[in-house]
Structures are given as C-alpha cells and as structure tokens.
C-alpha cells in the first residue's frame, strides 16, 4: 500500500484506527491523501480481521475538508472529484461499523467525512460547517444525500446554503452527533465503544448496517424482503446458533467469528 505520514492506520484487537495526520493544516486532505484513503478503505474491506474502524484527526482538529490551498492541478476536475466521491462511497459502504471521533473543526468534506460514518462521537469543543458555498463551491463528499436524511431537508438547506458554523450542542440536537464527551474523556469512550462493537457478530453487524443504509431509499415491502434474505445468511453462520445457545443456557456471550456453517 502507498501509505504516507499524512494518513496513518493500525489494527489492534480488531479495531482499525485511521488518523488524518496533517495537524498543521487542520488535517485538510490533499490529492495524495485521497488516494491513500481509497487504498486503506479497500484493504479494510478485504480484511476479515478488522471488526470496527475509528476515523480521527491528529492534533486539535478532525478535518478542515479538502486542501484548497493545494488545489491547482493540470488534471481535469472530473476525475479528481470522482476519486473523492469514490472515497465517500467506500467509507459509507464499509461492511464494518465506523466511528468518527471528532475533536475540533469538521468542515466541508471533513464534516461529511464524519457523516458518512455510522456513529459520531464528538468532543465538547467540536464544531461543524458545510463551508462549500463560502469557497464558491457546491456541497460534495456525499453531503447532498447524507445531510437531508440526517437533519431533514429544511435544516440541510440552512446548513448548506448559509455555511454557518454550529457548535457540538446544536450538532447533537440536529442528529449530526451521536454522543458528546469532554476532550479528556473522548479517547476512553471511543475505545470502549469500539471494543463493544468488535465483540459482536460481524456478519449480523454488516448486514444490519447495510439494511439500514438501503432502507432509507426503498419501500417497506422491499425492506422486508431484504431482511428475510439477511436472516437466512445469519442462520448459516456459527454465530446465530451460538448466541441462541448462550441465551438458553444463561451463559456468557460467545466469541463471535462470522464463520459460514451451513447445516
């Protein structure tokens, strides 16, 4: 993999942590970082040892968005924007839970980077901004799809059209943030949350995430069909029978493997 010091990642006990590591630029993402993120997400998708992903920024910021200071390119913008869009889609579709750990600013593509995650844990000093129009741009990184589904159309228009900075309390009220913690408690809370998720059945988690993501765009009959198909897959793993047995025996939860076990 073509990793760089600007994007770090490591896997410990099933938890893969991705760190945007340009604190001097508030972790703004340049062209090389987009490519590295794409490669990392592809590797995670193909790595069964990863059970949970934590996405964070180094220093006192989550991500200030795309690095517009380094935006002069010879290349046509369409392929560049396609690569950025591919990262958004790859993150959203990862078959494992993804936690955004947001401390400090999350702006533009950085804000939508957090929204493409499944859960957002923010510090009390976090702030969010759909900065695009103030840069002469329209919303991207999946924000036009994510934002109205999370906060509703009217609030999405307010945030995107006015490019207002909102604090973490308002972000929580709007549903952009799942939990708020003090900065000194952020690391421990996210580690505990990631550990809880990593201990759960991976196939059931992956399918639950997929069902919820797809469910917002389909009718209920289609959702019911998707649920039935997903349960058939769960019944063919070692995890569902082990969970049922532990429940009936009133024993501790088993160690879930996600292994296929057709009977």
């Amino acid at each position: 993999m073509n990793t760089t010091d600007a994007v770090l990642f490591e896997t410990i006990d099933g938890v893969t942590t991705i760190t945007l590591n340009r604190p001097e630029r508030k972790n703004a993402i340049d062209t090389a970082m987009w490519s590295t993120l794409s490669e990392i997400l592809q590797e995670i998708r193909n790595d069964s040892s990863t059970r949970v992903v934590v996405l964070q920024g180094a220093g006192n910021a989550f991500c200030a968005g795309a690095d517009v200071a380094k935006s002069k390119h010879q290349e046509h913008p369409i392929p560049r924007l396609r690569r950025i869009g591919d990262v958004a889609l790859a993150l959203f579709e990862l078959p494992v839970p993804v936690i955004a750990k947001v401390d400090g600013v999350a702006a533009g593509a950085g804000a939508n980077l957090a929204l493409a995650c499944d859960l957002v844990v923010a510090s009390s000093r976090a702030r969010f901004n759909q900065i695009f129009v103030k840069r002469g741009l329209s919303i991207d990184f999946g924000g036009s799809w994510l934002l109205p589904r999370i906060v509703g159309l009217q609030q999405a228009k307010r945030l995107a059209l006015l490019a207002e900075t909102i604090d973490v309390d308002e972000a929580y009220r709007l549903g952009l943030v799942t939990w708020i913690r003090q900065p000194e408690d952020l690391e421990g809370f996210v580690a505990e949350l990631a550990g809880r998720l990593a201990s759960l059945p991976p196939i059931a988690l992956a399918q639950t995430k997929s069902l919820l993501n797809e469910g917002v765009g389909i009718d209920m009959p289609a959702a019911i069909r998707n649920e039935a198909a997903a349960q058939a897959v769960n019944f063919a793993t070692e995890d569902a029978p082990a969970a049922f047995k532990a429940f009936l025996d009133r024993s501790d939860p088993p160690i879930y493997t996600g292994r296929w076990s057709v009977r």
Side-chain angles (χ1 to χ4, degrees):
M1 177 185 298
N2 182 27
T3 56
T4 69
D5 290 340
V7 183
L8 309 175
F9 87 113
E10 63 174 353
T11 302
I12 300 175
D13 296 330
V15 179
T16 295
T17 301
I18 303 173
T19 304
L20 306 176
N21 189 38
R22 293 181 74 210
E24 73 284 358
R25 295 287 300 161
K26 295 189 181 300
N27 302 313
I29 305 176
D30 61 18
T31 301
M33 291 173 70
W34 288 122
S35 296
T36 302
L37 280 170
S38 180
E39 293 175 10
I40 289 173
L41 294 174
Q42 183 61 40
E43 180 163 315
I44 291 171
R45 187 177 187 88
N46 296 327
D47 177 17
S48 61
S49 68
T50 293
R51 305 284 285 264
V52 184
V53 172
V54 174
L55 181 61
Q56 64 183 6
N60 63 355
F62 178 68
C63 177
D67 191 350
V68 295
K70 298 180 68 175
S71 61
K72 294 182 179 179
H73 301 274
Q74 297 298 319
E75 185 183 27
H76 194 280
I78 286 180
R80 286 191 288 110
L81 291 169
R82 185 181 298 122
R83 283 196 293 273
I84 294 172
D86 287 346
V87 171
L89 195 58
L91 178 62
F92 182 74
E93 292 183 339
L94 273 184
V96 296
V98 184
I99 304 166
K101 185 169 73 174
V102 180
D103 191 18
V105 66
N112 295 333
L113 191 71
L115 300 189
C117 299
D118 303 302
L119 302 166
V120 179
V121 185
S123 81
S124 56
R125 62 191 176 194
R127 57 196 188 277
F128 298 80
N129 191 318
Q130 296 287 332
I131 195 70
F132 301 99
V133 296
K134 289 187 176 179
R135 301 290 182 262
L137 301 170
S138 51
I139 191 169
D140 68 12
F141 204 81
S144 63
W145 190 91
L146 291 163
L147 201 59
R149 283 167 171 78
I150 296 171
V151 305
L153 183 58
Q154 289 296 327
Q155 289 294 341
K157 287 179 178 178
R158 169 209 158 192
L159 295 173
L161 296 178
L162 295 175
E164 297 175 332
T165 297
I166 61 173
D167 63 20
V168 73
D169 292 323
E170 184 166 11
Y172 179 79
R173 181 179 64 80
L174 290 172
L176 297 170
V177 167
T178 321
W179 294 278
I180 303 172
R181 290 294 181 270
Q182 293 302 312
E184 62 271 20
D185 299 327
L186 192 63
E187 183 75 26
F189 181 84
V190 170
E192 190 271 339
L193 176 63
R196 286 166 56 194
L197 289 166
S199 71
L200 294 170
I203 302 302
L205 278 181
Q207 295 200 103
T208 298
K209 173 176 175 174
S210 179
L211 288 167
L212 291 171
N213 285 346
E214 292 178 15
V216 297
I218 59 177
D219 58 23
M220 190 167 182
I224 295 294
R225 289 192 294 272
N226 286 350
E227 290 171 2
Q231 293 294 34
V233 173
N234 292 325
F235 290 143
T237 69
E238 294 181 350
D239 294 341
F244 285 135
K245 186 176 187 303
F247 172 74
L248 294 173
D249 295 345
R250 292 182 171 82
S251 59
D252 292 335
I255 296 175
Y256 296 111
T257 65
R259 284 196 288 264
W260 182 253
S261 181
V262 178
R263 290 171 175 80

